[in-house]
Amino acid sequence: MIERFVVDSGAYETWLAGHQDQYVINAERILNPDNLVLHRATCRTINGTPAHGATWVGSYVKLVGTREELETAHPAARPCRQCL
Ligand SMILES: [Zn+2]
C-alpha cells in the first residue's frame, strides 16, 4: 500500500530506515505529473542529510511503496538517473 509523507516529522526517515528494499517517488506537493521521479529507497539523492539545512519533506513530498504499486498509481513517474 502506498504511503504519503507530506510533513517533515521524521516519519519519512524512519520509513526509509526500515524499507531499504522499497521505492520512493519524489513529487511536488501538487503531484505535478511532469515532475515525478521514482527512486530506490537506497538512492543517495533521497537519503542521508539534505544539503544546506533543507528537509526531505516540505515543498516536495514523498510517496513510498513497492515499485509496482508506485508505477501503477503514477505511470508518469520517471526513473531516477542515479539509481534506476
Ligand atoms: Zn534515485
Side-chain angles (χ1 to χ4, degrees):
M1 195 176 124
I2 295 176
E3 281 189 78
R4 185 182 296 194
F5 295 106
V6 298
V7 294
D8 184 42
S9 65
Y12 169 65
E13 290 85 347
T14 300
W15 179 91
L16 271 182
H19 300 84
Q20 292 274 288
D21 59 334
Q22 291 202 21
Y23 290 79
V24 176
I25 287 178
N26 195 28
E28 290 177 31
R29 205 162 251 287
I30 57 166
L31 302 185
N32 176 1
D34 294 332
N35 194 10
L36 300 174
V37 181
L38 180 69
H39 299 269
R40 294 180 191 274
T42 51
C43 183
R44 63 184 171 79
T45 69
I46 55 160
N47 266 280
T49 304
H52 309 300
T55 58
W56 288 119
V57 180
S59 56
Y60 277 75
V61 301
K62 304 287 186 281
L63 311 178
V64 304
T66 67
R67 184 173 186 169
E68 184 180 9
E69 286 169 339
L70 292 171
E71 288 183 331
T72 300
H74 299 283
R78 290 177 284 115
C80 169
R81 286 184 190 164
Q82 309 264 353
C83 66
L84 288 172

